[in-house]
Amino acid sequence: MWKNFLRIAVLAVSVGTTGWLLADDHGNRTIQKSMPSLDNPLWRAECGSCHGAYHPGLLPERSWRALMGKLDDHFGENAALDAATQRTITDFLVAHAADRGESRRSAKITQSIANGETPTRISTLNWFVRKHHEVSPATWKRPAIGSAANCTACHPGAEKGDFSERAIRIPRA
Amino acid sequence: MNKPRLCLIALLLTAGAAQAGEASPVLAHYAAAARQQDAGFSGFSSLRGAAFYRAEHLTPRGAASCSTCHGDDPRAAGKARTTGKLIEPLAPAVNPQRFTDLAKAEKWFGRNCRDVLQRECSTGEKGDFIAWLASLK
């Protein structure tokens, strides 16, 4: 009887701890895996007119500040905004930046960036490169994709922060 | 004067009025600015606008014109050179939202003139550009 109780107890503890050991979110169980779905009309209209509106959770605060601080030379192009619009969008990006701890995906992005670095090109992040290592150069060049800047080509929910594996649809041409 | 000739004159007058900018508040703004800059201002030219649209300029990224991104036919969608993102047609005939918002027009002239011409565009260039696009049917 006592032996049986011990067996059941050991089993119960094992089952319980396995789940805990397998989970990768100790201490922050309330944090979602995916970035939150956000909206800001200025961010959507202004950032989204030349490329998709990149989710704030894709870069840390220092990167957004660096980008928004030199919009007159935005990867070689002039993307200048009036001062009020620039401030509103910067505030929005910073409030939900990757290092604000809003999602586990953003936490992984932050962890993949060295402390002294301020990357501004999302496609050069170690996290991005690691996640896309299976995508061949020919796939990137498909007309419906074009370049790594075109998140929504394969991640239809990219602007809503949805980069989940099951939502990926890679265009065939 | 016979009736067909009257009709023709009326038609020409209407076309002239449309080119003078009554259709677009943005064009009207540039016309007023041009008159202020030059008392002898005689109106924008869609011919000059067409030439301006296609004129190539040397940029740090190679030769470029308005048509590089906006396409040969402004009545069709264009494509951003670096990102490949579709650009809605520029011609108001197919995209009535165009040139109805001065701040938006100024923002894009400000960016694109510096990128393509390496300088700001003059009031005359902006007016000619819109006059041509507005003349496309």
Side-chain angles (χ1 to χ4, degrees):
Chain A
M1 176 65 195
W2 179 240
K3 245 183 190 168
N4 270 348
F5 174 76
L6 209 66
R7 268 190 206 135
I8 288 164
V10 167
L11 191 71
V13 168
S14 319
V15 170
T17 49
T18 306
W20 187 82
L21 286 168
L22 285 174
D24 59 357
D25 60 346
H26 313 308
N28 45 8
R29 277 163 199 276
T30 52
I31 296 177
Q32 298 289 308
K33 181 171 172 58
S34 276
M35 297 171 199
S37 176
L38 303 167
D39 201 15
N40 176 292
L42 278 178
W43 160 73
R44 181 168 302 283
E46 298 298 342
C47 306
S49 53
C50 301
H51 51 63
Y54 299 126
H55 194 283
L58 287 166
L59 285 173
E61 174 176 347
R62 61 185 187 278
S63 297
W64 288 127
R65 290 203 185 278
L67 273 168
M68 295 300 290
K70 57 170 180 77
L71 283 177
D72 58 337
D73 180 9
H74 188 65
F75 303 103
E77 275 177 51
N78 191 311
L81 288 168
D82 64 84
T85 308
Q86 185 186 332
R87 205 175 315 118
T88 306
I89 295 176
T90 304
D91 289 349
F92 169 72
L93 293 168
V94 164
H96 303 283
D99 45 351
R100 284 296 167 114
E102 287 189 343
S103 73
R104 301 210 303 275
R105 189 162 279 129
S106 284
K108 284 179 185 167
I109 292 174
T110 308
Q111 284 160 17
S112 84
I113 303 169
N115 276 335
E117 279 174 18
T118 305
T120 51
R121 206 184 274 278
I122 296 162
S123 57
T124 61
L125 300 176
N126 285 334
W127 167 83
F128 184 99
V129 174
R130 190 169 67 234
K131 288 289 186 181
H132 295 88
H133 76 278
E134 287 172 345
V135 181
S136 72
T139 306
W140 285 118
K141 283 289 147 219
R142 286 178 191 165
I145 303 173
S147 82
N150 193 5
C151 305
T152 50
C154 306
H155 304 276
E159 294 191 2
K160 291 193 169 75
D162 184 1
F163 296 95
S164 64
E165 195 94 36
R166 61 180 145 57
I168 298 173
R169 300 283 179 275
I170 300 177
R172 295 189 177 277
Chain B
M1 201 178 273
N2 61 19
K3 215 173 176 188
R5 195 174 290 174
L6 255 177
C7 283
L8 188 70
I9 289 169
L11 198 75
L12 284 171
L13 280 173
T14 329
Q19 286 214 346
E22 268 140 53
S24 154
V26 175
L27 192 52
H29 166 88
Y30 289 132
R35 266 191 297 275
Q36 213 162 36
Q37 288 165 14
D38 172 17
F41 171 68
S42 59
F44 294 124
S45 153
S46 54
L47 270 177
R48 279 199 306 261
F52 177 80
Y53 184 81
R54 304 195 190 286
E56 290 217 324
H57 306 267
L58 196 63
T59 80
R61 301 174 156 206
S65 64
C66 308
S67 63
T68 305
C69 294
H70 289 289
D72 281 336
D73 183 355
R75 289 167 295 194
K79 203 172 182 187
R81 176 163 58 163
T82 35
T83 61
K85 177 131 182 157
L86 280 184
I87 305 172
E88 296 294 318
L90 270 181
V94 287
N95 186 0
Q97 289 301 304
R98 288 294 186 191
F99 311 114
T100 55
D101 178 346
L102 179 63
K104 188 175 179 184
E106 277 291 284
K107 179 181 78 181
W108 285 105
F109 276 129
R111 291 171 169 178
N112 296 346
C113 292
R114 286 189 193 97
D115 272 345
V116 177
L117 290 89
Q118 312 292 296
R119 61 167 173 82
E120 286 187 33
C121 291
S122 69
T123 305
E125 286 167 332
K126 294 175 190 174
D128 292 343
F129 179 85
I130 302 174
W132 176 60
L133 292 167
S135 74
L136 298 173
K137 295 288 168 252

